[in-house]
Amino acid sequence: MAKLAVINRNNRRNKIVQKYAEQRINLKKIINDFTLSETERHEARLSLQRLPRDSSPVRLRNRCALTGRPRGVYSKFGLGRSKLREIAMSGKIPGIIKASW
């Protein structure tokens, strides 16, 4: 199990990303609009840089919903590989069966 502080930090980042998502999209549209003047685009770049670092979605980490494990997470299920296997073997995920050939 991951440390609770690390899980909470990632959850806090997720909230910040959602809070600033629309603002980031609007600023990026201005930055990539070549019909605007260079000064307007420059101001948009500066205001994008002034946003909190944690508002960038790149800083998020996929984590297992049950254990908080950061690696080996299947995004389709939101679970780490070990928990996914454990739950699938007990038959709690419909449509998932053990492979045999």
Side-chain angles (χ1 to χ4, degrees):
M1 178 112 183
K3 288 186 177 180
L4 191 60
V6 177
I7 295 170
N8 289 337
R9 183 186 319 145
N10 200 48
N11 292 340
R12 188 186 73 236
R13 282 182 181 157
N14 199 1
K15 289 177 187 173
I16 294 173
V17 166
Q18 291 173 359
K19 179 180 176 183
Y20 288 99
E22 191 174 333
Q23 192 174 356
R24 291 180 70 86
I25 289 170
N26 293 335
L27 288 172
K28 286 189 177 192
K29 282 181 185 175
I30 293 171
I31 292 169
N32 293 325
D33 187 5
F34 292 103
T35 60
L36 298 174
S37 68
E38 189 62 36
T39 56
E40 289 174 323
R41 293 174 57 221
H42 183 69
E43 288 297 320
R45 270 189 231 110
L46 292 178
S47 56
L48 183 66
Q49 289 175 358
R50 277 190 229 109
L51 292 178
R53 282 187 179 179
D54 285 343
S55 69
S56 175
V58 173
R59 292 175 68 95
L60 291 177
R61 182 81 169 148
N62 287 341
R63 291 189 172 271
C64 175
L66 298 177
T67 61
R69 189 179 202 285
R71 295 177 183 226
V73 177
Y74 287 84
S75 57
K76 184 175 181 178
F77 304 102
L79 298 172
R81 57 182 173 77
S82 57
K83 286 295 174 183
L84 177 65
R85 183 177 189 277
E86 194 177 291
I87 293 171
M89 290 299 171
S90 64
K92 294 178 182 172
I93 302 176
I96 301 290
I97 56 171
K98 186 174 179 180
S100 63
W101 60 93

